[in-house]
């Protein structure tokens, strides 16, 4: 059944083919529950129009969701037959694929991204669900041969109730990314959707229900008030917190989690270096640098933000960057599927953040391209900003040090490998990096010395379901993707049995 025929998905009106959606229910204990004590509005970044009015979770909603998750965990999910759990995952993947286009359209509208891109992402994430289905029957323990007097063995058990909190720039895909390993490990989950982009996450709940998960195993709420997030992360029955977002909120959650010794999994941002040596493939590197500096307007944690280019090829590489970025035009991505577009920044807050750093860049460096708000025609209704490139003499500027989360790229020169390593590592973040050279010996040396959770060599933006994702330093702790994501959702129990 299409999503728009579901009880929780209510078209309010259609004006000039502009959809306005209302979702009036949270997903708690296997059912959609009406909540009307307080609501808030959701706006489309494309043109700032209002697209939804949804319920605003309070402490009582959080308590109900956690209680449902706790009850489901002890009632059946902790001991749920692994083969049945695996079949649920396969069914869930089918349901997600069947709804991917509709959920992608909804999520794209509220995020300011192309719906077709999100549809493709969701189909990829359906494969992630199948991947973790394969791990459900492989949660092996160990037998320790320590003494003839006892049988000593180790079993791996889930932690209990997991709290998952997703960011506005990857709300739906991030939800699957957190749900799949947590559930495969045997935990139940309370997912708090991003306050700014809750619609796609709430729509995702129907795929959970249609797959046949027992009531309470997955619960999904949303809220604009930080109090609901605090109530969730501080709840005494929550045993593990997986959060993707800003460093400041991550630090606050970590302090709260310390009171009850909750386990934490954080992905908190990045300031990715893109290092070009003179013998690298300059044409390909320039194309990749621009593509992934301005993907989703640079509002991605692993977007290219700092190009470190060897001095001898700096001018040549800058010209290649300019040639590639000149192809971009303003517009919503769905309008121009065959041409690079610079879409809207997510909201006014994000626009002010970008504008602040652009002003700093104009004082500290040399503006090579862009640097202004796009105001002509319909673009003046929202927050569009030109793709912007600065050249700096060194990396001292805040533009080179701080995460901007917008379409701003810094170019910084270096002479020798040691200088490139120093510049690359001299930020608080350590999520991802890229290095370009034909010298294999130098590549292996620099890869070992770069502080980054993922390093791409002569490439960028490669992901695989098996490969771990996550950084260190201020970029966070723990891993997502692959078998590595399961570790944070499992505990080791050592058993001594006297036969």
């Amino acid at each position: 059944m299409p999503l728009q025929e579901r009880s929780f998905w209510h078209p309010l009106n259609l004006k000039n083919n502009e959809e306005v959606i209302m979702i009036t229910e949270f997903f708690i204990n296997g059912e959609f529950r009406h909540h009307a004590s307080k609501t808030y509005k959701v706006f489309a970044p494309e043109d700032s129009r209002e697209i939804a009015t949804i319920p605003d979770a309070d402490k009582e909603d959080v308590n109900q969701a956690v209680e449902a998750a706790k009850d489901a965990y002890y009632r059946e999910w902790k001991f749920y037959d692994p083969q049945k759990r695996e079949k649920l995952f396969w069914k869930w993947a089918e349901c997600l694929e069947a709804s991917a286009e509709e959920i992608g359209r909804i999520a794209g509208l509220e995020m300011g991204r192309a719906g077709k891109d999100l549809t493709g992402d969701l189909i990829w994430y359906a494969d992630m669900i199948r991947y973790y289905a394969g791990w459900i029957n492989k949660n092996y323990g160990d037998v320790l041969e320590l003494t003839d007097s006892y049988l000593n063995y180790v079993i791996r058990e889930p932690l209990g109730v997991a709290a998952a909190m997703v960011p506005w720039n990857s709300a739906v895909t991030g939800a699957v990314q957190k749900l799949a390993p947590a559930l495969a490990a045997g935990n139940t989950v309370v997912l708090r959707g991003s306050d700014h982009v809750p619609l796609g996450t709430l729509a995702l709940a129907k795929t959970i229900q249609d797959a046949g998960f027992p009531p309470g195993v997955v619960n999904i709420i949303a809220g604009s008030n930080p109090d609901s997030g605090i109530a969730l992360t501080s709840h005494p029955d929550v045993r593990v917190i997986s959060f993707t977002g800003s460093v400041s909120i991550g630090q606050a959650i970590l302090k709260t989690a310390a009171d009850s010794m909750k386990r934490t999994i954080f992905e908190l941002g990045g300031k990715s270096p893109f290092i070009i040596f003179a013998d690298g493939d300059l044409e390909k590197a320039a194309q990749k640098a621009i593509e992934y500096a301005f993907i989703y307007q640079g509002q991605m944690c692993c977007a290219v933000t700092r190009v470190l280019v060897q001095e001898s090829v700096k001018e040549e590489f800058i010209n290649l960057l300019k040639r590639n970025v000149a192809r971009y035009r303003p517009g919503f991505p769905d309008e121009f599927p065959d041409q690079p577009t610079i879409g809207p920044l997510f909201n006014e807050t994000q626009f002010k953040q970008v504008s602040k750093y652009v002003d700093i860049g104009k004082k500290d460096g040399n503006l090579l391209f862009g640097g202004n708000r796009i105001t002509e025609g319909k673009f003046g209704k929202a927050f569009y900003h030109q793709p912007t490139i600065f050249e700096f003499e060194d990396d001292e500027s805040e533009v080179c040090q701080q995460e901007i989360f917008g379409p701003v790229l810094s170019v910084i020169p270096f002479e020798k490998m040691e200088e490139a390593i120093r510049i690359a590592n001299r930020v608080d973040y350590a999520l991802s990096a890229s290095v370009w050279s034909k010298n294999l010996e130098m590549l292996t040396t620099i890869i070992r010395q770069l502080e980054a959770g993922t390093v791409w060599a002569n490439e960028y933006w490669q992901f695989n379901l098996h490969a771990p994702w996550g950084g260190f330093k201020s970029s966070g702790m723990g891993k997502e993707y692959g078998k590595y994501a399961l570790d944070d959702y499992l505990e080791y129990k050592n058993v001594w049995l006297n036969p």
Side-chain angles (χ1 to χ4, degrees):
M1 183 183 297
L3 285 174
Q4 52 265 60
E5 296 179 24
R6 306 293 190 181
S7 62
F8 71 97
W9 197 97
H10 303 291
L12 293 181
N13 56 60
L14 292 173
K15 296 186 297 183
N16 300 323
N17 295 320
E18 295 180 352
E19 294 181 2
V20 180
I21 302 166
M22 184 176 217
I23 292 178
T24 59
E25 294 155 316
F26 296 144
F27 185 64
I28 298 176
N29 204 30
E31 61 184 13
F32 290 93
R33 295 186 178 181
H34 186 74
H35 178 116
S37 64
K38 187 179 179 182
T39 60
Y40 70 100
K41 299 181 186 303
V42 179
F43 299 89
E46 177 185 1
D47 53 12
S48 298
R49 76 184 186 275
E50 179 187 335
I51 56 171
T53 302
I54 73 159
D56 199 351
D58 56 25
K59 186 175 181 179
E60 181 56 32
D61 295 306
V62 171
N63 289 340
Q64 288 180 15
V66 174
E67 183 60 34
K70 179 184 177 182
D71 179 65
Y73 175 74
Y74 287 107
R75 185 183 67 248
E76 59 181 322
W77 193 246
K78 180 180 180 181
F79 306 105
Y80 204 80
D81 180 85
Q83 288 182 313
K84 291 182 179 179
R85 186 183 299 169
E86 184 177 355
K87 289 179 181 178
L88 280 177
F89 267 58
W90 281 92
K91 180 64 176 176
W92 180 25
E94 292 176 8
C95 292
L96 181 59
E97 279 188 337
S99 301
E101 185 175 351
E102 290 178 276
I103 296 176
R105 181 167 50 85
I106 293 170
L109 181 65
E110 64 180 341
M111 291 173 63
R113 288 192 67 183
K116 64 178 180 62
D117 290 345
L118 284 167
T119 297
D121 288 348
L122 286 169
I123 291 172
W124 191 85
Y125 276 87
D127 282 337
M128 174 178 281
I129 295 170
R130 296 184 180 99
Y131 170 84
Y132 283 110
W135 276 107
I136 291 172
N137 280 317
K138 301 173 184 64
N139 186 23
Y140 305 131
D142 296 293
V143 175
L144 307 180
E145 298 181 16
L146 302 178
T147 171
D148 292 337
S149 302
Y150 297 91
L151 173 62
N152 189 293
Y153 59 97
V154 179
I155 56 179
R156 303 178 77 194
E157 293 187 342
L159 299 172
V161 178
M165 303 174 71
V166 293
W168 53 261
N169 69 324
S170 57
V172 181
T173 54
V176 178
Q177 186 171 312
K178 295 180 185 302
L179 286 170
L183 296 171
N187 303 275
T188 55
V189 182
V190 177
L191 172 66
R192 182 182 184 269
S194 170
D195 52 354
H196 301 292
V197 288
L199 305 180
T201 309
L202 290 170
L204 181 68
K206 197 59 193 172
T207 67
I208 299 287
Q209 189 181 59
D210 287 349
F213 280 83
V217 171
V218 177
N219 307 272
I220 302 178
I221 60 174
S224 67
N225 192 323
D227 290 347
S228 63
I230 295 170
L232 179 58
T233 56
S234 63
H235 199 290
D237 291 326
V238 169
R239 298 310 312 150
V240 56
I241 302 167
S242 179
F243 169 78
T244 301
S246 70
V247 173
S248 60
I249 295 178
Q251 290 170 332
I253 291 173
L254 190 59
K255 292 175 183 177
T256 299
D259 292 338
S260 54
M261 299 299 290
K262 293 175 173 44
R263 189 173 294 180
T264 53
I265 309 160
F266 289 149
E267 204 268 78
L268 304 177
K271 190 70 176 174
S272 301
F274 192 94
I275 305 169
I276 315 296
F277 286 93
D279 68 335
D281 185 337
L282 301 188
E283 290 273 356
K284 182 180 177 183
Q287 180 264 319
K288 292 282 185 179
I290 293 299
E291 180 179 359
Y292 294 113
F294 303 121
I295 185 173
Y296 191 30
Q297 294 70 257
Q299 299 171 131
M300 301 291 281
C301 57
C302 54
V304 176
T305 55
R306 299 178 293 153
V307 166
L308 281 55
V309 58
Q310 200 157 27
E311 185 71 53
S312 61
V313 293
K314 184 186 72 171
E315 294 305 320
E316 179 183 357
F317 195 73
I318 284 175
N319 288 332
L320 289 171
L321 291 177
K322 288 180 178 179
R323 188 179 73 188
N324 277 277
V325 76
R327 299 169 55 229
Y328 279 71
R329 64 177 294 173
F332 196 71
D334 278 337
E335 293 181 281
F336 308 103
D338 299 323
Q339 181 171 356
T341 56
I342 195 76
L345 288 169
F346 183 65
N347 57 21
E348 185 177 9
T349 299
Q350 205 57 35
F351 175 78
K352 288 181 177 178
Q353 166 96 342
V354 170
S355 298
K356 179 184 78 170
Y357 283 106
V358 168
D359 289 342
I360 293 172
K362 288 177 179 178
K363 289 186 292 184
D364 293 349
N366 176 29
L367 179 64
L368 299 176
F369 192 91
N372 297 300
R373 182 176 181 176
I374 302 169
T375 57
E376 61 265 23
K378 64 180 181 180
F379 304 119
K381 297 179 182 178
F383 299 100
Y384 289 77
H385 196 286
Q386 292 175 329
T388 299
I389 306 175
F390 289 106
E391 178 189 2
F392 296 93
E393 293 182 358
D394 53 42
D395 65 331
E396 294 292 334
S397 175
E398 287 185 77
V399 178
C400 304
Q401 294 291 318
Q402 303 300 320
E403 184 177 42
I404 300 172
F405 228 59
V408 180
L409 179 64
S410 303
V411 178
I412 307 164
F414 70 89
E415 290 282 358
K416 297 182 179 180
M417 179 184 72
E418 292 76 16
E419 185 184 3
I421 294 169
R422 180 190 63 80
I423 295 171
N425 291 342
R426 207 177 77 89
V427 295
D428 293 334
Y429 299 98
L431 181 60
S432 60
S434 179
V435 56
W436 295 72
S437 172
K438 296 182 178 70
N439 186 326
L440 183 59
E441 182 179 357
M442 184 168 64
L443 280 178
T444 55
T445 299
I446 196 171
I447 287 169
R448 289 295 299 272
Q449 296 189 46
L450 284 173
E451 295 176 347
T454 295
V455 179
W456 293 290
N458 297 320
E459 192 50 87
Y460 206 81
W461 206 272
Q462 296 298 306
F463 299 92
N464 189 282
L465 295 173
H466 297 267
W469 175 253
F472 33 95
K473 295 169 65 174
S474 290
S475 287
M477 59 186 72
K479 296 296 181 184
E480 297 186 297
Y481 294 9
K483 65 179 183 179
Y484 311 93
L486 292 168
D487 290 340
D488 288 316
Y489 293 105
L490 289 164
E491 193 63 272
Y492 289 94
K493 177 184 286 185
N494 182 220
V495 180
W496 291 75
L497 176 62
N498 186 339

